[in-house]
């Protein structure tokens, strides 16, 4: 006669050391999250922000020295001879703005679409110059926004807010595809298809509903699609090679490094130390720069961002294919040793 075992109703409580480990882990996680998201904002400042100063050489040199004394190391100044050259540098995204002294009274030329934060700083300089000029015989300085933000989103809030959803979209795509789709090739195709549909949807919302983007809808859609593809495929590739640990590593790279260091809300040059440069080498940072170029600057200044995103996309595809080959090899070994066919998906 079989005796049925009684189910265990009272499990032994965990040891206090397990509680201590859990608390320590949670403390470390929240500290890392706070550091990742708060440190770039708290330590944000102007350093080596590229601007132009236009006008006669003596006046340009005098103003450059005055700016360096007032805001040490804040600007990387390009000295040009005339207003047209300064405006061309702004439109090409070589500089964020310019101070023009070619007509006598200084005029500040902005490109708020390039960075609202830098434009605000240059506005402050214009106010200081105006106050100084008003005490002399020259007329006060003026401000001209050469490349303004859209009237429907004058603070650029939509573009800044889009950075996190794009990262989350790529991460969610990688997570769902690894859970719902078998085969490296099918996952790559799924990620690329989602990049297209997601680009169409996000580009349409930002441009036609929120009014946060101008320019060519198709160029903006392409920028969003390239971002989603680069993010999702790079994480898929890490998962194909490292398993679940790859998903975690990819999420950490995109969420804890890429998003806070993207500089989309301010400017990469305003982030502390080396973080702005690092952020532009990751998909979230490259995405912000590319969207600004396609939406407001007719594609000027997009080359670096396209190269970065294309590199991540290509790397992701190669990792996916390499991971698929590694997974098929054990299946082939089992066929050799057991003589039984093993199914492998591609």
């Amino acid at each position: 006669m079989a005796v049925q075992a009684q189910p265990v109703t009272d499990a032994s409580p965990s040891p206090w050391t397990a509680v201590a480990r859990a608390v320590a882990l949670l403390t470390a996680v929240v500290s890392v999250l706070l550091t990742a998201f708060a440190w770039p904002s708290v330590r944000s400042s102007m350093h080596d922000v590229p601007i132009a100063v236009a006008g006669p050489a003596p006046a340009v040199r005098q103003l450059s020295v005055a700016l360096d004394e007032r805001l040490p190391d804040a600007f990387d100044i390009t000295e040009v001879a005339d207003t047209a050259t300064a405006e061309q540098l702004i439109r090409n995204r070589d500089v964020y703005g310019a101070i023009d002294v070619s007509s006598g009274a200084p005029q500040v030329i902005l490109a708020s679409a390039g960075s609202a934060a830098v434009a605000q700083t240059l506005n402050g300089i214009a106010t200081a110059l105006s106050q100084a000029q008003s005490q002399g015989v020259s007329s006060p300085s003026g401000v001209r926004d050469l490349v303004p933000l859209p009237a429907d989103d004058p603070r650029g809030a939509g573009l800044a807010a889009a950075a996190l959803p794009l990262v989350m979209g790529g991460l969610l795509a990688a997570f769902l595809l690894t859970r719902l789709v078998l085969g490296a090739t099918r996952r790559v195709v799924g990620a690329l298809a989602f990049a297209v549909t997601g680009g169409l949807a996000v580009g349409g919302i930002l441009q036609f509903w929120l009014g946060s983007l101008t320019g060519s809808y198709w160029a903006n859609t392409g920028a969003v699609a390239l971002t989603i593809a680069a993010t999702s495929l790079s994480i898929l590739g890490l998962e194909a090679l490292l398993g679940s640990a790859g998903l975690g590593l990819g999420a950490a790279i995109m969420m804890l490094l890429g998003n806070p260091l993207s500089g989309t809300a301010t400017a990469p040059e305003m982030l502390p130390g080396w973080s702005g440069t690092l952020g532009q080498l990751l998909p979230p940072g490259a995405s912000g720069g590319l969207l600004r170029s396609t939406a407001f600057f007719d594609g000027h200044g997009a080359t670096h961002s396209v190269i970065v995103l294309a590199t991540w996309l290509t790397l992701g595809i190669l990792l996916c294919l390499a991971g698929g080959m590694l997974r098929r090899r054990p299946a082939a070994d089992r066929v050799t040793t057991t003589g039984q066919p093993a199914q492998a998906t591609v």
Side-chain angles (χ1 to χ4, degrees):
M1 178 178 179
V3 179
Q4 185 176 4
Q6 295 296 322
V8 179
T9 56
D10 295 325
S12 300
S14 300
W16 288 108
T17 53
V19 177
R21 286 196 299 269
V23 170
L25 178 61
L26 290 170
T27 303
V29 169
V30 74
S31 299
V32 169
L33 288 173
L34 176 62
T35 301
F37 285 91
W39 174 66
S41 299
V42 172
R43 293 291 183 261
S44 177
S45 64
M46 301 282 290
H47 53 273
D48 294 329
V49 173
I51 66 169
V53 177
V60 167
R61 174 55 55 189
Q62 182 180 3
L63 181 56
S64 299
V65 171
L67 286 174
D68 191 55
E69 291 177 351
R70 182 180 180 88
L71 296 170
D73 301 322
F75 299 110
D76 180 10
I77 297 175
T78 299
E79 299 179 359
V80 297
D82 52 53
T83 306
T85 304
E87 290 181 351
Q88 191 61 46
L89 289 175
I90 293 173
R91 290 193 175 96
N92 290 342
R93 297 202 70 191
D94 294 321
V95 298
Y96 283 96
I99 301 176
D100 183 15
V101 293
S102 58
S103 62
Q107 182 184 48
V108 176
I109 307 174
L110 306 177
S112 59
S115 171
V118 174
Q120 184 177 4
T121 300
L122 291 177
N123 259 319
I125 293 176
T127 301
L129 290 173
S130 179
Q131 292 173 350
Q133 289 292 326
S134 65
Q135 297 174 1
V137 295
S138 299
S139 59
S141 62
V143 177
R144 180 161 57 97
D145 198 343
L146 185 66
V147 189
L149 284 162
D152 290 336
D153 188 8
R155 296 181 294 110
L159 181 59
L164 182 59
L166 287 179
V167 174
M168 292 295 296
L171 179 59
L172 181 61
F175 179 80
L176 289 180
L177 286 170
T178 56
R179 295 297 181 270
L180 302 179
V181 178
L182 293 177
T185 302
R186 288 166 174 78
R187 289 177 179 176
V188 169
V189 172
L192 292 175
F194 168 63
V196 173
T197 58
L200 291 169
V202 173
I205 291 171
L206 287 174
Q207 187 152 353
F208 300 124
W209 182 20
L210 301 180
S212 299
L213 302 178
T214 58
S216 168
Y217 165 69
W218 298 110
N220 296 333
T221 293
V224 176
L226 184 57
T227 300
I228 295 175
T231 304
S232 58
L233 283 169
S234 57
I235 298 175
L236 275 176
L238 289 172
E239 190 278 337
L241 207 61
L242 304 175
S244 298
L247 279 177
L249 178 60
I253 292 173
M254 301 301 171
M255 292 293 296
L256 299 183
L257 285 179
N259 191 65
L261 302 184
S262 67
T264 303
T266 55
E269 292 83 2
M270 295 185 68
L271 297 176
W274 45 263
S275 59
T277 302
L278 175 61
Q280 295 306 295
L281 297 176
L282 299 173
S287 167
L290 180 57
L291 262 180
R292 287 189 189 278
S293 292
T294 58
F296 308 121
F297 294 89
D298 295 325
H300 292 295
T303 303
H304 175 268
S305 299
V306 170
I307 291 174
V308 169
L309 291 171
T311 300
W312 280 94
L313 187 154
T314 304
L315 178 63
I317 292 176
L318 293 176
L319 290 177
C320 285
L321 297 179
M325 293 175 62
L326 290 175
R327 290 177 180 177
R328 288 197 299 271
R329 185 171 301 170
D333 293 341
R334 287 195 298 272
V335 172
T336 303
T337 57
T338 64
Q340 298 296 325
Q343 289 185 340
T345 55
V346 179

